[in-house]
Amino acid sequence: MSLIVVGTMAFDAIETPFGKIDKTVGGSATYAAYAASNFVRPIHQVSIVGSDFPKKEMEILRKRGVQMEGVEIVPDKKSFFWSGKYHLDMNTRDTLITDLNVLENFNPVIPDNYKSAEFLMLGNLMPSLQKSVIKQLTTRPKLIVLDTMNFWMETAWDDLREVLNLIDVLLLNDSEARQLTGEYSLVKAARKIFEMGPEYLVIKKGEHGALLFNENNVFFAPALPLEDVFDPTGAGDTFGGGFIGHIAKTKDISFENMKTGIIVGSVMASFCVEKFGTQRLKEITKEDIDIRLNEFVQLVNFDIALV
Ligand code: AMP
């Protein structure tokens, strides 16, 4: 069992209708690693930070089995910084600031002991860097999952199209799927995305759940109706970490098992949104996860008599 997680490790400033925080640890690879480490260890982390990134945070991740040989620390430089403000519905947000900082000169070097990993989670990052990671691996992983966002569609279209050709599962939210394909219908969008390379597509719809497509099948998982949604930042990356964590744990890349992966991802995302930043992901136990998985089963379990 080996999983590489690639992406940003960052500082975020977040404003939601319920509060505001000027500096909290975030980043796509941070959230994904927190989620995945509940299911699979070690995790080979690939990222870059400045000397301002808290050592304590690295230590917490290390204790969860997240190996840091692939995380470059650049002295006297600042970590990636992102700032966003959520609308009242908490499903939509505006990006206020994206400061690439150390990311601008990032050239990921994959340590030799990562190079034959079986599973690869390419968290949200510059598409050219996602591609560079794939190219450095000595054996092709059993499954490559990629997450991206509108920012890269707008600033790195050609690189994004290239990397899409190399992966198996694409994770997007609904507006990103529409932006990538120019199709409003998500079914038509899925068809166009399969022509771009991926064999599977997961469309995250925030509080409205997630859809999993392949050429012949579609599966829908709801999101758990939660009493408190405090901060949705990182929910998508946490979902991705839970999804790939489950697949890497079970080593089963069938559509049926991906369905379970979607539920596991949704469970992990449901914890993420309950507090600011990564706070809630640090607190939860295996028991908490199992209880919530069971709540999901109950949520969609019903009998029907067809006459
Ligand atoms: P999510 O809410 O799942 O879309 O992820 C939010 C996280 O992604 C935040 O912690 C940010 O630090 C990180 N992030 C925001 N913009 C980017 C970007 N353009 N590339 C990589 N990571 C980003």
Side-chain angles (χ1 to χ4, degrees):
M1 247 173 336
S2 50
L3 169 64
I4 302 179
V5 169
V6 185
T8 49
M9 295 177 76
F11 285 119
D12 295 338
I14 304 160
E15 190 175 340
T16 80
F18 304 107
K20 194 171 182 274
I21 194 159
D22 289 336
K23 199 176 185 187
T24 187
V25 166
S28 53
T30 309
Y31 282 104
Y34 268 114
S37 58
N38 289 287
F39 307 99
V40 59
R41 293 181 187 190
I43 288 174
H44 300 313
Q45 191 87 339
V46 175
S47 191
I48 188 166
V49 293
S51 41
D52 53 355
F53 197 82
K55 308 244 170 339
K56 194 166 152 239
E57 196 71 28
M58 297 278 218
E59 209 33 58
I60 298 172
L61 282 164
R62 241 183 235 117
K63 285 203 179 117
R64 299 176 65 102
V66 182
Q67 296 183 348
M68 297 289 177
E69 292 97 316
V71 178
E72 191 182 334
I73 304 172
V74 188
D76 305 322
K77 282 267 172 69
K78 282 186 176 173
S79 301
F80 177 73
F81 176 76
W82 175 81
S83 157
K85 183 174 177 182
Y86 287 85
H87 301 173
L88 249 190
D89 67 2
M90 296 283 257
N91 251 353
T92 48
R93 70 182 176 205
D94 295 324
T95 288
L96 305 178
I97 303 170
T98 301
D99 281 340
L100 296 178
N101 298 329
V102 284
L103 213 59
E104 225 155 348
N105 299 312
F106 187 29
N107 203 350
V109 178
I110 305 302
D112 283 342
N113 63 328
Y114 288 21
K115 283 186 178 164
S116 54
E118 290 169 287
F119 296 93
L120 174 60
M121 173 75 216
L122 293 167
N124 189 15
L125 189 68
M126 279 143 173
S128 58
L129 301 186
Q130 294 174 316
K131 182 176 146 199
S132 144
V133 171
I134 299 176
K135 295 285 177 200
Q136 289 178 59
L137 303 181
T138 46
T139 43
R140 206 236 184 233
K142 279 197 175 75
L143 197 75
I144 303 180
V145 179
L146 181 139
D147 194 350
T148 189
M149 75 186 301
N150 52 353
F151 184 80
W152 302 119
M153 292 175 203
E154 285 148 24
T155 60
W157 178 258
D158 291 344
D159 289 335
L160 180 62
R161 288 300 304 267
E162 264 187 58
V163 74
L164 287 182
N165 239 321
L166 306 174
I167 62 147
D168 303 302
V169 184
L170 177 62
L171 308 182
L172 289 176
N173 67 33
D174 41 2
S175 65
E176 290 160 352
R178 291 180 172 124
Q179 184 168 346
L180 183 63
T181 60
E183 294 286 353
Y184 180 80
S185 152
L186 295 178
V187 175
K188 285 186 183 157
R191 224 174 278 139
K192 275 202 178 165
I193 286 169
F194 296 147
E195 282 165 16
M196 297 178 189
E199 203 178 322
Y200 301 90
L201 170 67
V202 177
I203 298 186
K204 301 166 283 179
K205 291 162 69 71
E207 66 165 333
H208 304 299
L211 288 158
L212 167 68
F213 292 91
N214 74 356
E215 203 187 336
N216 301 313
N217 301 286
V218 55
F219 172 72
F220 171 69
L224 199 68
L226 292 170
E227 207 164 309
D228 296 307
V229 176
F230 204 70
D231 170 21
T233 307
D237 310 309
T238 304
F239 177 99
F243 174 78
I244 192 78
H246 170 77
I247 302 285
K249 177 184 167 187
T250 53
K251 294 191 173 199
D252 174 354
I253 60 169
S254 66
F255 189 83
E256 276 311 298
N257 196 44
M258 282 190 197
K259 283 162 59 170
T260 312
I262 299 294
I263 302 288
V264 172
S266 303
V267 162
M268 298 315 297
S270 77
F271 286 115
C272 174
V273 302
E274 287 178 333
K275 290 193 177 170
F276 263 125
T278 54
Q279 185 57 34
R280 189 75 180 112
L281 296 177
K282 286 178 187 150
E283 299 168 352
I284 53 170
T285 61
K286 179 171 184 315
E287 198 191 352
D288 294 323
I289 296 171
D290 288 346
I291 291 171
R292 203 156 276 190
L293 274 168
N294 198 39
E295 284 172 22
F296 259 85
V297 174
Q298 299 311 322
L299 181 70
V300 290
N301 192 11
F302 61 90
D303 290 324
I304 187 162
L306 295 175
V307 284

